[in-house]
Amino acid sequence: MLHHPDKAYVDPLHIQVRDQHAYCNMVEEELDRELWFHDIKEYIRMRVYPVQATGDQKRTIRRLASGFFFSGGVLYKRTHDLGLLRCIDARQATTIMTEVHYGVCGPHMNGYVLEKKILRAGYY
């Protein structure tokens, strides 16, 4: 609890305890039924913005789109060494993390090593 210098009461400090590692909590289902990269993909394919996009959001989409590449219906992210990483949705990400962490790809590993291994496998 924290004391306020000008108040006679103490506000509680709420702490969340997670049952999964942080890298697992970052993968969430898409709330609007669109993939996380949908706006970027549509901008690259047809040069259109979402209907509700403001000027700042349009500029952000243009800036982000410069780092992606669209080929054969699949969106890829360019890396600094000109490699391509396939963009995947939350369901595929969960499957890949499980397979890399527990599966045939190797032994259990921490989040940093797991992230590097998934990137080396070609996923973003």
Side-chain angles (χ1 to χ4, degrees):
M1 296 195 156
L2 300 173
H3 280 286
H4 290 280
D6 58 342
K7 297 180 183 173
Y9 66 93
V10 177
D11 288 333
L13 180 63
H14 299 284
I15 298 174
Q16 291 182 343
V17 178
R18 301 287 184 162
D19 60 344
Q20 291 182 324
H21 297 288
Y23 56 85
C24 294
N25 289 325
M26 294 306 296
V27 178
E28 298 176 357
E29 292 297 324
E30 291 79 15
L31 300 176
D32 59 356
R33 303 234 186 250
E34 297 291 345
L35 300 175
W36 66 266
F37 52 84
H38 173 73
D39 296 337
I40 297 169
K41 186 175 180 180
E42 289 303 308
Y43 178 76
I44 292 172
R45 283 181 55 223
M46 297 184 279
R47 299 286 186 215
V48 295
Y49 298 103
V51 176
Q52 74 282 5
T54 64
D56 289 338
Q57 291 169 336
K58 289 177 181 179
R59 185 175 61 244
T60 301
I61 290 172
R62 279 193 310 270
R63 185 179 52 79
L64 288 173
S66 67
F68 289 85
F69 174 74
F70 187 72
S71 176
V74 179
L75 187 67
Y76 297 92
K77 177 162 178 42
R78 290 185 182 108
T79 61
H80 65 281
D81 62 352
L82 302 178
L84 297 175
L85 301 175
R86 183 181 179 141
C87 295
I88 55 176
D89 63 8
R91 183 181 45 79
Q92 292 170 326
T94 303
T95 304
I96 290 168
M97 282 193 304
T98 302
E99 183 62 31
V100 171
H101 185 70
Y102 297 111
V104 297
C105 293
H108 300 283
M109 60 204 78
N110 65 20
Y112 180 76
V113 176
L114 179 65
E115 172 199 357
K116 294 300 178 193
K117 198 161 198 172
I118 290 171
L119 288 174
R120 275 196 313 265
Y123 295 102
Y124 182 74

